[in-house]
Amino acid sequence: MRIRLQLIGDGSDGNAYRVDLPTYANAVTNETTRRAFADVPAVDVPADVAAFVSAYPTVDLTTPLPVPFPASLANSWADFLARRYDLGNARWHPEVY
């Protein structure tokens, strides 16, 4: 699933810009807007996040979302990934941005 996400990191050595997910491919980034398009495996995207992404499609890395990504969805996605990768706690904190 192609999702526009917030980048983390500051671009310095040892803290490169990146997507905050365990697995993704084909990232296209814009460090100025701190956004990236990335292909995220469907098994790593819970249904409620997939529904949000489908309801608010984005076509570029500059236009803001029409509504903010709810904190409740960000938290549930982090918890989902922690369970999926058997971490016991939320390590990744992806946000649709």
Side-chain angles (χ1 to χ4, degrees):
M1 170 171 239
R2 188 111 172 120
I3 301 177
R4 191 175 80 178
L5 299 153
Q6 180 178 5
L7 290 175
I8 62 170
D10 62 14
S12 65
D13 289 341
N15 194 19
Y17 290 115
R18 63 200 177 280
V19 173
D20 197 13
L21 283 171
T23 57
Y24 62 92
N26 304 319
V28 176
T29 64
N30 182 323
E31 288 82 10
T32 303
T33 62
R34 299 189 57 84
R35 296 178 180 131
F37 279 120
D39 292 328
V40 182
V43 296
D44 281 351
V45 182
D48 53 354
V49 173
F52 181 90
V53 170
S54 295
Y56 302 103
T58 55
V59 296
D60 61 44
L61 292 172
T62 56
T63 306
L65 287 172
V67 297
F69 187 59
S72 60
L73 279 182
N75 292 334
S76 71
W77 196 2
D79 292 341
F80 174 86
L81 290 170
R83 285 190 308 275
R84 174 157 160 63
Y85 289 91
D86 197 24
L87 297 174
N89 61 7
R91 176 177 170 193
W92 295 283
H93 301 280
E95 289 191 39
V96 176
Y97 192 64

